[in-house]
Amino acid sequence: MKGVFNFLRNVGRNLRAWGLLILTTTGFLSPTFLFAQMKWICATDSAGWSERYAHASVVFDNKIWVLGGISSDNRNNVWYSTDGVNWVQATDSAEWSGRFCHTVVAYDNKLWVLGGCDDSGNFKNDVWYSTNGVNWTCATEAAGWSARLHHTSVAFNNKIWVLGGNDSLYGPRNDVWYSTDGVNWIQATNSAAWTTRGSHTSVVFDDKIWVIGGSYFIGPLIEPNNDVWYSTDGINWIQATNSAGWTPRALHTSVVFDNKIWVLGGIDVEGRRNDVWYSSDGVNWTQATDSAEWVNREGHASVVFDNRIWVLGGEYLYGELNDVWYSWGLGIEEDNTPNAQSLTLRVSPVLFITNVKITYNLPKSLIVRLSIYDSSGKEVKALFNGKQVAGFHKLQWDGKDNAGKELPTGAYFLKLKTNGSATVKKLVKLE
């Protein structure tokens, strides 16, 4: 059965902002500025959990969780991590049967596992929940929606939602269901405006549910989509685009980060992908990178945790993976001293209106000065000045100067200076 699933990767304002980004810098800093593609860092190339794909991941209780999937060991084990590097096994054998292509959501201060396919090839429509990932309670053995896999689930409007997927009798579906307790399920629609599909993704963004890509299966053939749909109620659906910038695909992942929807990897008609795309409206899509540092893959998992996007496991050409990668999103890399590369500095978003998230890593304990300069070289905001210990640090800038006044639109520079080293990032404040 595993072989079957292997088949399963406003404009004017932004244009003006990009124009500002390519302005040459003034002589006070005089570094060489380069716009960088999205960068990915490997947290670990071998997590505590075994290599796997078609697993599920979610953020719950300030931890990243990995549950089930196709792997060499028990497919109902549960793992968690507070940093993506060190993993703890909550349980080696949860009360729900081993499974893959299921979904997981965090809802009502609980972890929820919904449906999937068990080790015997039986499609499931059971629902389980846990407050700690160790002890699990069955909400229902047979939910109102038919047994299925490759569906999606989200928590939205104080409800759990199940959307589409492939069931054992009728193949791909485009029905939508919701529940306030995981026990009693109501059908929002038996036939949504988007075509029947599985291996799609769903996210909650801009107070809407979104359905992104996926495929229709006819025997062993894959008919992938790159359409994007949204709804405020799960009943009435509007097509944002019939053809997004990324290729039609399935078994990709999607997350919401930095006020954008992101699509990562998956499989299209040419094979597995490791490209990354984003959109602020679901209509217009921009490629963050055509080749991320992580290998081409499908059936992986992605979450947003600790102000970063994470990619976990999946399947590549030669088998399953248990690596973990993260990215701070879009940024600019500039070094103006030989030692600057020993510092890690990220800003998000580069194009901002009010708030900028700043993260940096120090290789050792150092005296740090972190400041914002305008295009004339004048320091307009001192963010930090003092000694800091080695490790990861983060803060936020609200776009105001030292007097607490809003700065005008235009280009600004974030400078991180330590003993003998400096790193600079360029930012653009929008209207």
Side-chain angles (χ1 to χ4, degrees), residues 28 56 74 102 134 150 161 177 211 233 250 260 279 292 311 334:
F28 84 103
N74 289 354
H102 51 299
V134 181
H150 287 309
W161 297 76
W177 296 76
V211 167
D233 58 11
K260 303 173 183 68
S279 174
V311 167
E334 306 96 4

Side-chain angles (χ1 to χ4, degrees), residues 35-40 287-291 293 329-331 333:
F35 183 76
Q37 285 189 320
M38 186 180 199
K39 297 296 182 182
W40 290 84
Q287 188 176 68
T289 176
D290 64 349
S291 181
E293 285 78 359
L330 303 174
E333 302 275 351

Side-chain angles (χ1 to χ4, degrees), residues 145 148 162-164 173-177 187 189-192 194:
W145 39 273
R148 65 189 64 191
V162 168
L163 304 99
R173 302 298 301 267
N174 63 341
D175 53 347
V176 179
W177 296 76
Q187 188 176 68
T189 178
N190 183 52
S191 182
W194 38 271

Side-chain angles (χ1 to χ4, degrees), residues 380-381 400-406:
V380 293
K381 179 67 175 181
K400 299 179 181 179
D401 64 14
N402 286 320
K405 296 180 180 179
E406 285 283 347

Side-chain angles (χ1 to χ4, degrees), residues 147-285:
R148 65 189 64 191
L149 76 169
H150 287 309
H151 51 296
T152 58
S153 298
V154 296
F156 173 72
N157 195 24
N158 296 316
K159 303 175 182 71
I160 306 173
W161 297 76
V162 168
L163 304 99
N166 294 277
D167 76 17
S168 56
L169 295 177
Y170 302 104
R173 302 298 301 267
N174 63 341
D175 53 347
V176 179
W177 296 76
Y178 65 87
S179 174
T180 57
D181 58 10
V183 181
N184 303 291
W185 290 85
I186 297 172
Q187 188 176 68
T189 178
N190 183 52
S191 182
W194 38 271
T195 58
T196 56
R197 68 191 62 197
S199 303
H200 49 298
T201 58
S202 294
V203 297
V204 173
F205 174 70
D206 191 29
D207 295 321
K208 304 174 182 72
I209 305 174
W210 296 74
V211 167
I212 303 166
S215 62
Y216 180 87
F217 293 88
I218 303 175
L221 301 178
I222 183 171
E223 292 184 0
N225 302 297
N226 63 343
D227 54 348
V228 180
W229 297 77
Y230 65 87
S231 174
T232 58
D233 58 11
I235 302 170
N236 304 291
W237 291 85
I238 298 173
Q239 187 176 70
T241 179
N242 183 50
S243 182
W246 36 272
T247 58
R249 67 189 61 191
L251 292 171
H252 50 297
T253 57
S254 297
V255 297
V256 172
F257 175 75
D258 189 26
N259 294 316
K260 303 173 183 68
I261 305 172
W262 298 73
V263 168
L264 306 97
I267 185 169
D268 63 16
V269 293
E270 295 184 355
R272 299 176 182 90
R273 304 299 300 263
N274 65 338
D275 54 345
V276 180
W277 295 75
Y278 65 88
S279 174
S280 59
D281 59 9
V283 180
N284 304 290
W285 291 83

Side-chain angles (χ1 to χ4, degrees), residues 133-151:
V134 181
N135 306 298
W136 291 83
T137 300
C138 183
T140 177
E141 285 284 356
W145 39 273
S146 60
R148 65 189 64 191
L149 76 169
H150 287 309
H151 51 296

